[in-house]
Amino acid sequence: MRSHYCGQLNKSLAGQTVELCGWVNRRRDLGGLIFIDMRDREGIVQVVVDPDMAQAHEVASQLRNEFCIKLTGEVRVRPDSQVNKDMTTGEVEVICKDLEIINRADVLPLDFNQTNTEEQRLKYRYLDLRRPEMSDRIKLRAKASSYVRRFLDDNGFLDIETPVLTKATPEGARDYLVPSRVQKGSFYALPQSPQLFKQLLMMSGFDRYYQIVKCFRDEDLRADRQPEFTQIDIETSFMSADQVRAKTEEMVHGMWKDLLNVDLGQFPTMPFSEAIRRFGSDKPDLRNPLELVDVADILKDVEFKVFAGPANDEKGRVAVIRVPGGAKLTRKQIDGYAEFVGIYGAKGLAWMKVNDRAAGMEGIQSPVAKFLNEEVINGILERTGAESGDIILFGADKANVVAEAMGALRLKVGIDLEITDLSAWKPLWVVDFPMFEEDGEGNLHAMHHPFTSPLGITAQQLKENPAAANSNAYDMVINGYEVGGGSVRIHNAEMQAAVFDILGIDAQEQQLKFGFLLEALKYGTPPHAGLAFGLDRLVMLLCGTENIRDVIAFPKTTTASCLLTDAPSLANPAALEELAIAVKVAKKDSE
């Protein structure tokens, strides 16, 4: 039906007859000439309908926004004075010869000239996706996927599918379960990732595997999470962690260069412990120069228990952030930051303004200064490098609370005071994660997953001191977002059993949940390692948006609902009966 896309017309086609199909983006009737901005997935072009073309002019007079139309016309170069530099097709226009309305549009529930609520946009997603901004995002996503496939194919990776109906694996979130009609009372689990299958593929001899695959996790949602998401899953045999990182870094580097013409440069590597110490996060945003500075040793002997308590607690931490120029903050703004860190469990936010560094104690303004002597204050000023006009913000609590609260505060202050360079790209690798983490009750859990190999120790050494072990794991971080993570996997049955033992998974449970994997480890398992990228997050960054829903064609809300289809919905009672499932409805509080 069409010969060209609207958005691809240019001066090289001048004088040619073209057939276009698309939608009315805007119509302007000047009392004679009618101008139509016609849109398709590639962009917008201006169409001119002259009164001399009676049939076309009659049809054009009926047009409204989002009518679906087809037209035939001649491409004409615009005079220099009429070139529209805001349109890629702004040097040309189409003189309409024939015009047909394919389908009319009712009054639109969305207004493309105004800001619509996200609920409206999701409910009428098929209309929202017509907007050039959304269309460009979906096209960029397609280009990113295509680039990944080309790169991995060219580097000897095989695209192999793994099952969607499978067995639950521990990935840190609740599973979505699918009941079996044939085996009543039994359930499949939708994969949180293809973790065990890709390891089995390595055991099968397919030493370079990849898959762009849907994964499912029933977890609390936020702007960069969805219940179903797309993963670029990569696994290799006979490659070290360094080699896996180098190859995947090459892929991401090339993606940014190919799609944005941006050179990400070489990715620095940072140990997990350093990331937490300096930035309070294992996914630091390096566009922000603010850092956490530890000052517990300076405050151990002060009488102010808010500082001294955590400073003398082996599980405590006292850290500060020096904010250049922050002395201009008002008390109201500081109180707002105190409320903000409270979200992360902090009990308050002490502060110290350095109004005049040369004036000594007289130049210091702080509600806690009276509890600190001059030597302590000078020690803090020297360690932070504070200068006149700065403010120092204090975090004192359990180490994890200080890291989370001050790490989040660092990001917020960086944005609020325009300290963060939002135009920059700052990737890095975070490595040497702890093998295990405590749950608050003394129990250990795998920080990544229980198939991650410990770094540089034997199974016996791991058993003797599991809390001190690091894992051979790595995350790729770009601008504060974890876009990919992976590890060297355990390929030794003894080591795998040791990890299960530490996690409190007894022999019976090991066989029940992972018997097939333990059995496979007996038969010449090669060393293997891999990495999985979140395609949605990568595209979110490429598009310059902060909401993952902006780059997914049909996303769900933060309550895991689809406003377009009203999913999830109630099941047919007959279907439930066939599955031997009864729905138990909770009684209302009033009952």
Side-chain angles (χ1 to χ4, degrees), residues 275-313:
I276 295 297
R277 175 175 58 81
R278 294 174 59 191
F279 307 107
S281 171
D282 60 358
K283 46 182 183 294
D285 187 348
L286 300 185
R287 297 174 301 168
N288 181 338
L290 302 180
E291 295 191 18
L292 279 63
V293 178
D294 286 299
V295 293
D297 58 313
I298 299 174
L299 296 165
K300 279 187 174 182
D301 298 325
V302 302
E303 295 182 3
F304 190 44
K305 292 183 179 180
V306 171
F307 289 165
N312 287 282
D313 183 350

Side-chain angles (χ1 to χ4, degrees), residues 72-87:
T72 302
E74 180 182 317
V75 179
R76 181 173 73 183
V77 176
R78 293 198 204 185
D80 291 342
S81 61
Q82 296 178 19
V83 169
N84 186 342
K85 295 182 179 179
D86 295 328
M87 294 172 60

Side-chain angles (χ1 to χ4, degrees), residues 412-475:
K412 182 170 177 57
V413 170
I415 296 295
D416 290 350
L417 301 188
E418 300 182 348
I419 295 171
T420 302
D421 182 1
L422 297 178
S423 65
W425 291 103
K426 292 292 184 180
L428 78 154
W429 288 103
V430 178
V431 300
D432 298 348
F433 288 81
M435 185 76 179
F436 305 103
E437 56 185 345
E438 288 191 19
D439 61 3
E441 298 179 1
N443 300 314
L444 293 178
H445 294 276
M447 178 164 274
H448 279 75
H449 53 66
F451 316 108
T452 299
S453 178
L455 182 63
I457 58 175
T458 65
Q460 183 59 38
Q461 290 171 324
L462 180 66
K463 290 179 182 178
E464 292 171 356
N465 193 2
N470 282 339
S471 64
N472 201 350
Y474 33 83
D475 283 356

Side-chain angles (χ1 to χ4, degrees), residues 19 72 99 104 140 146 167 196 216 235 297 309 332 374 380 404 410 436:
E19 293 181 325
T72 302
L99 178 61
R104 297 172 181 268
L140 186 60
S146 179
K167 193 172 185 176
L196 297 184
F216 308 86
E235 197 77 9
D297 58 313
K332 182 179 180 181
E374 186 172 0
I380 294 171
E404 289 188 27
R410 167 184 173 269
F436 305 103

